[in-house]
Amino acid sequence: MATIIDGKAVAQDLRGKLAERVKDMKASGVVPGLAVVLLGDDPASRSYVTAKEKSCEELGMYSRDIRLPAETSEEDLLKLIGELNGDEAIDGILVQLPLPSHIDEQKIIVAIDPSKDVDGFHPMSVGRMLLEQDTFLPCTPHGILKLLEYSGISARGKKVVVVGRSNIVGKPISNLMFQKQSWGNATVTVCHTGTADLKKETLEADILIAAAGRPEMITGDMIKKGAVVIDVGVNRVEDSSKKRGYRLCGDVAFDQACESASFITPVPGGVGPMTITMLLFNTVKSAEARLG
Ligand code: GUN
């Protein structure tokens, strides 16, 4: 049976350390501030954003919650980002993705001052990450590195298979895993919709990272005995037995996977709590840099 990697417990431990740093900064008169911008009312985005704001407050940080109609123009959003770039109280700017289709996502990301890019999505941050220079690492991949570290799992010399090539998870985590750093040194395969034989690839994985956004697509027969399984998926699937009408599930068929995996992250309670924690980490880091 697999050991469950408790993301909530790791997140809590890291948040405790961050709270100390926030306390120290407050003593110097600086409160780390995060602006969260949400357009429209997609339920999943709304629940992420609410969780981000709540976590900020729990740590004693300042959170500015900006909710705008889905019809907001690109011009108005760019103007808002310009204001936040110049706002002394704001150390981090997060624009919740995906954005409505009339807005060019890349144009918005590029407008964020790289020194406030706590999502790590700006081309400057992405480039610095690729070059292994100090930067804001994207939150979900960074959270995965922390979960592995806390669980005593080294990627060095291992075969890592990433399923999914998104800008937010697949691309950055695959890069981080082969970096010549304490968290890397793995041999990495990236699978995607163009992969000829997915099962053949996943069966090779010592560490399997599922980030495709497809409910339970990784079944038990696709997992090597003893593999570490990191499930990044957060999917809502209809379930009439639940009061809210849906249940959350990952990209991995959890019960089946538990039979072969040595370690596994659950959904919810695995990678999810880490994403927000690393966002808070980046915001504190930004505020500390400002403080000097
Ligand atoms: N949408 C899903 N995940 C994320 C994230 O980490 N940051 C932002 N800005 N949008 C997201």
Side-chain angles (χ1 to χ4, degrees):
M1 270 309 273
T3 300
I4 309 287
I5 299 178
D6 185 348
K8 267 197 210 161
V10 178
Q12 204 168 17
D13 188 65
L14 284 169
R15 287 181 198 205
K17 291 178 182 149
L18 282 175
E20 289 296 312
R21 284 162 68 182
V22 172
K23 215 170 98 191
D24 288 348
M25 258 188 288
K26 277 184 159 172
S28 318
V30 174
V31 183
L34 174 68
V36 178
V37 182
L38 173 63
L39 265 65
D41 57 1
D42 171 66
S45 289
R46 224 174 36 207
S47 76
Y48 284 140
V49 164
T50 304
K52 283 167 191 165
E53 288 153 359
K54 195 167 145 260
S55 311
C56 255
E57 276 145 33
E58 276 168 11
L59 246 70
M61 293 165 54
Y62 168 59
S63 152
R64 192 178 304 164
D65 164 15
I66 304 164
R67 301 197 185 200
L68 299 169
E71 309 77 51
T72 303
S73 70
E74 191 176 271
E75 193 188 343
D76 285 350
L77 185 54
L78 287 169
K79 189 163 159 270
L80 169 67
I81 289 170
E83 285 162 12
L84 294 170
N85 282 342
D87 190 329
E88 293 269 312
I90 299 299
D91 298 290
I93 302 168
L94 180 142
V95 180
Q96 182 66 29
L97 303 180
L99 285 167
S101 58
H102 67 278
I103 293 181
D104 180 345
E105 226 160 70
Q106 281 307 314
K107 211 163 152 184
I108 300 303
I109 291 171
V110 171
I112 296 172
D113 182 333
S115 76
K116 298 190 177 187
D117 176 36
V118 289
D119 254 331
F121 292 168
H122 191 288
M124 174 81 85
S125 309
V126 177
R128 290 184 63 88
M129 179 194 72
L130 290 182
L131 298 170
E132 304 185 32
Q133 295 171 353
D134 184 43
T135 186
F136 296 117
L137 293 179
C139 303
T140 302
H142 197 186
I144 294 171
L145 299 185
K146 288 285 176 197
L147 281 181
L148 293 173
E149 184 191 333
Y150 264 74
S151 310
I153 298 161
S154 166
R156 187 187 180 85
K158 305 265 175 67
K159 283 206 169 184
V160 172
V161 176
V162 177
V163 183
R165 56 177 155 187
S166 68
N167 290 342
I168 295 183
V169 185
K171 279 181 196 147
I173 192 62
S174 50
N175 181 266
L176 288 161
M177 294 308 298
F178 69 67
Q179 290 189 353
K180 201 168 181 176
Q181 303 287 347
S182 58
W183 55 79
N185 267 307
T187 301
V188 180
T189 301
V190 184
C191 299
H192 43 74
T193 47
T195 297
D197 188 344
L198 179 63
K199 182 175 167 180
K200 176 174 164 281
E201 306 294 343
T202 60
L203 276 172
E204 295 267 316
D206 301 311
I207 300 177
L208 177 61
I209 302 176
R214 288 182 180 215
E216 298 178 341
M217 69 171 292
I218 306 292
T219 45
D221 59 323
M222 297 169 78
I223 299 167
K224 184 167 85 170
K225 190 102 197 132
V228 173
V229 178
I230 305 293
D231 189 353
V232 186
V234 185
N235 307 293
R236 291 182 176 205
V237 295
E238 238 177 80
D239 186 343
S240 54
S241 73
K242 297 270 191 267
K243 207 165 71 189
R244 54 189 183 180
Y246 67 89
R247 69 183 170 91
L248 282 185
C249 79
D251 287 358
V252 177
F254 184 81
D255 292 342
Q256 294 174 21
C258 279
E259 289 176 23
S260 337
S262 57
F263 288 86
I264 188 165
T265 61
V267 176
V271 175
M274 294 302 294
T275 297
I276 296 181
T277 304
M278 301 328 290
L279 173 72
L280 303 173
F281 175 94
N282 280 347
T283 307
V284 170
K285 176 177 163 140
S286 172
E288 284 174 346
R290 212 167 301 282
L291 191 61

